[in-house]
Amino acid sequence: STHGDFLDAMPDGDCRYAIYDYAYVNDDGCSFNKLLFILWAPDSSPLKNKMLYASSKDHFKTQLDGIAHELQATDHDAISAEQVHAEVRSILTRK
């Protein structure tokens, strides 16, 4: 799957949790994979759904191992390829 496929899977009118396995190559040519936990809560989703997803997020995350970073997104720009790259780069010690 491509990043575009991932974006297409995020519905415009409802919330979702997503786990994204991001492959990254740093400036030295070293490859990394980082698991990202994404809370997708677009502005157009019902308020009740946004509150439910936000309040249950931490419990859900505790059931998962290996999550390197969390992103909360309300639109596709927040999880664009460029933004995800910048977020992953910010947590790496070997950039």
Side-chain angles (χ1 to χ4, degrees), residues 1 5 20-21 23 32 37 40 42 45-46 48 53-54 66-67 71-72 83 93 95:
S1 295
D5 294 335
Y20 189 79
D21 186 6
F32 299 91
F37 180 87
W40 171 254
S45 61
K48 184 176 180 179
Y53 272 78
I67 301 298
L71 297 171
Q72 296 185 19
Q83 185 62 34
T93 55
K95 300 183 189 311

Side-chain angles (χ1 to χ4, degrees), residues 40-59:
W40 171 254
D43 291 332
S44 59
S45 61
L47 180 59
K48 184 176 180 179
N49 289 3
K50 289 192 271 192
M51 291 174 61
L52 177 64
Y53 272 78
S55 65
S56 59
K57 169 186 61 106
D58 288 334
H59 173 72

Side-chain angles (χ1 to χ4, degrees), residues 59-80:
H59 173 72
F60 187 75
K61 270 182 48 181
T62 62
Q63 306 302 309
L64 305 170
D65 291 327
I67 301 298
H69 194 59
E70 176 185 329
L71 297 171
Q72 296 185 19
T74 58
D75 59 37
H76 286 111
D77 290 340
I79 53 174
S80 67

